[in-house]
Structures are given as C-alpha cells and as structure tokens.
Amino acid sequence: MSKLKMILLMGFVCVFGIKLQAQYIIEQIEYEIPINYELVPADKEFDDIADEARFFLQLPESKLRDAAQKEYGDIEIIKSTIYIDGDNFAVESLSKEDGRTTVILNHNKGLIYYVLWSQKKIYEMSAEDMAEIQKDADAVMQKMMANLPPEMKEQSQPAKQITATGRRMVKYGQRCSEYLLEDEQELLVIWASDDSMGLAKKAKSMSEKLAEIFPSMDEDEQDEWDLAAGKIPVEVRTFRLDAMDGAQMEIQAITRINQVNPPVEKFILPAEAVGFERSSFKDMMTQMQQMMQGMEED
C-alpha cells in the first residue's frame, strides 16, 4: 500500500468517523532488491517474462539479497511501526531517503500530522485539504480522458485475480498460504495468514471509504489487502521489469502484530516537535510534484 494511500486512509478514520474499536501495534518492513542474473544457471532459458518472474519469486529471500548486495551494495530496508487504538492512529518510519518520519491522526482536532524530523517540518491535513485534493484529481482525470481515443475510453481494467498455489510456509511466526497473481505489468506472490484479529475487516472498511470519497485515487490499483480478501498479507513479493532500473523485486512484510494497547503519547505531537515549521498537506503535494517535474527535466 502506498504511503499516500495510507495517509489518506488515516484521514478517513478521523474525518468520517470510522470506528476501529481495536488496539494493535504492527511492525513492518519494505525494501527493493535489484535482480542479479548471476543467480540464473548457465543452461537456464526463460520462455517469457512470466517464466523469468516465477524463477526469481521462488528463490529464497536471503539468496536474492546476498547476490544483490554483492553486485549493487547495501539494500535499504524501510522499517515502520503502526499504532492503532480505537479512533487514534500513528505511523513511525525510518528510511535513508526521508529519515525519521511520523504520521499522527488527531481525532479530536480532525487533523493528520506528518512530521519530517530531518527537515524540522510538520504538514497538516484537514477535511478541506482532502476536498481540494479530490477536486484537483478529478480535473486531471477529466483532462486525461478527454485526450484519449474513443476506443480507449471504452476499455475497462479487469480486476486482478489471484490463484492459490497450495504451498504453505511459516512467515514471521504466522502460518501462511501462498497465492500467485500474474498480469501484463507485474507478477507477485502473496503469503497470507488467516485473520483472527479483525485486521482484514478494518482494512477493507477503510479502503471502501477511500473509494467512496476519492473515486479517482488509485482507481486502477488493488492493494494486497484487496487481493488476499479476508486474510492478512504477511509477505508480498512483486517482480517488475523497469526500462530504467532493470529487474527489481519489491518485498513488503508484516514482521509482528501485537494486539495490545499502544502508549497514549504515540497519538500526540512529540514535545521535541515544538517550533517546527508548519505547512498544509497540499503544500507538501505541490513540493513533491515540483521535485518530480525537476527530475523529469533533468
């Protein structure tokens, strides 16, 4: 699930009053492994891209990582901890690119805070910000649709379908079953466990609310919670071929789930954030768009 989508989902919990009525502390990791083709036996020939993807998806994670580090150097692992307590929600993350970041839902004020510690900035998102983002997204979508040929306007993106492989394995302490999804853009494997904690139900509830309020946001995207309906997607491996970066394996994993009460202080702005520069969420989106445009021009 993308960072933007995660932040927006938290906003819906806050502004539209979705009652989580549960307490969790969830730890997860996310990283990308560049594919080292030295792992392919000399006599191995792939029938097509899907055959190639299946080969790498079935290799042990440690083998993929060791080969990638040998060829490309250290691999960055983004670590996050998610805190859920009723209507309160917070995410703490640490990455090389953004450093330490914290997302906090303030239910009483109807705001979401996004703290960038290295930049000493706090971005706030309100219901008005979300309405503004939706308005801009609708305008962009209408413009794109107006420029499409008639035959493309009539085409619809089919829902992705996953297939149970029958394989089972313990992943991060969870008994998981393997599911395979294949389409023209990517091939992925989901290791999913049965859900006895209600997490899948909450994720589905928030995703449905997201679709109602932001119909154009990620409309062609089905995240791992949608694909593994009713289950917890403990580990998701995605194989992609990129024209610029070559073959990549993206791995997302929920490493621990504790059904406990998180510390109360996780849901308020930390004291050390006093004096940080404050801006709106829309300002952050504008800055991100400007950075992307600058990269494209370079």
Side-chain angles (χ1 to χ4, degrees):
M1 185 180 292
S2 68
K3 182 180 289 186
L4 173 59
K5 189 170 183 180
M6 182 185 294
I7 293 172
L8 289 174
L9 286 176
M10 287 187 286
F12 299 136
V13 177
C14 172
V15 178
F16 297 98
I18 301 173
K19 303 295 184 180
L20 293 176
Q21 301 301 335
Q23 294 80 34
Y24 305 97
I25 298 179
I26 304 167
E27 297 177 18
Q28 63 182 33
I29 57 174
E30 181 177 351
Y31 54 99
E32 289 186 355
I33 301 177
I35 296 300
N36 185 344
Y37 281 88
E38 290 184 1
L39 291 170
V40 182
D43 59 348
K44 175 69 175 177
E45 293 186 4
F46 298 117
D47 298 331
D48 50 30
I49 294 177
D51 186 37
E52 178 181 340
R54 282 190 289 268
F55 172 81
F56 287 109
L57 283 166
Q58 298 304 323
L59 290 180
E61 177 187 336
S62 58
K63 193 171 184 177
L64 286 167
R65 188 170 56 243
D66 291 345
Q69 289 177 332
K70 177 182 176 182
E71 180 70 17
Y72 304 103
D74 291 339
I75 295 170
E76 181 192 5
I77 298 178
I78 301 173
K79 298 181 179 180
S80 300
T81 303
I82 302 169
Y83 302 92
I84 301 173
D85 186 358
D87 294 329
N88 298 314
F89 201 115
V91 181
E92 296 177 348
S93 298
L94 187 63
S95 70
K96 184 177 180 180
E97 181 179 356
D98 297 325
R100 176 189 174 195
T101 61
T102 306
V103 179
I104 302 170
L105 181 152
N106 187 307
H107 182 264
N108 292 331
K109 293 185 178 180
L111 291 172
I112 292 172
Y113 299 113
Y114 181 40
V115 185
L116 285 169
W117 294 92
S118 61
Q119 300 180 32
K120 293 188 175 182
K121 291 183 178 180
I122 298 174
Y123 293 99
E124 298 179 359
M125 182 172 69
S126 64
E128 290 75 18
D129 292 324
M130 288 191 282
E132 194 78 19
I133 293 169
Q134 179 60 47
K135 181 180 178 181
D136 293 342
D138 288 342
V140 171
M141 183 60 62
Q142 290 176 8
K143 185 176 180 180
M144 290 176 60
M145 293 297 294
N147 295 328
L148 287 176
E151 61 273 14
M152 292 189 66
K153 292 181 182 179
E154 297 175 359
Q155 293 179 357
S156 60
Q157 185 74 19
K160 296 179 181 179
Q161 300 294 325
I162 64 173
T163 303
T165 67
R167 295 181 64 200
R168 290 176 173 79
M169 187 179 297
V170 175
K171 292 277 188 177
Y172 302 100
Q174 302 283 337
R175 296 180 181 274
C176 299
S177 299
E178 185 187 47
Y179 299 86
L180 178 68
L181 183 146
E182 182 178 341
D183 65 18
E184 295 179 356
Q185 283 76 40
E186 61 188 20
L187 192 146
L188 62 84
V189 164
I190 300 175
W191 286 96
S193 68
D194 291 335
D195 180 17
S196 60
M197 302 180 234
L199 267 178
K201 184 178 180 180
K202 302 308 176 187
K204 178 178 174 58
S205 172
M206 289 189 287
S207 291
E208 289 175 349
K209 183 61 66 174
L210 173 64
E212 291 175 9
I213 308 302
F214 287 86
S216 61
M217 182 64 68
D218 291 337
E219 63 177 5
D220 292 330
E221 178 185 341
Q222 284 181 287
D223 64 37
E224 58 272 16
W225 291 90
D226 295 327
L227 296 170
K231 296 182 178 293
I232 298 175
V234 175
E235 183 183 90
V236 181
R237 291 185 173 197
T238 306
F239 181 89
R240 293 190 180 95
L241 280 175
D242 187 274
M244 296 292 292
D245 300 326
Q248 302 276 335
M249 180 82 72
E250 178 184 301
I251 297 178
Q252 298 174 316
I254 296 173
T255 58
R256 181 178 297 178
I257 303 172
N258 290 323
Q259 201 165 7
V260 297
N261 293 337
V264 175
E265 59 268 21
K266 294 297 181 180
F267 308 110
I268 59 176
L269 278 174
E272 62 264 42
V274 173
F276 278 30
E277 178 187 346
R278 295 202 181 197
S279 303
S280 69
F281 186 79
K282 186 178 181 182
D283 290 338
M284 184 184 75
M285 296 296 295
T286 300
Q287 292 176 18
M288 291 174 62
Q289 291 172 355
Q290 291 173 347
M291 289 177 60
M292 292 178 64
Q293 289 174 357
M295 292 174 62
E296 291 175 355
E297 291 174 358
D298 293 340

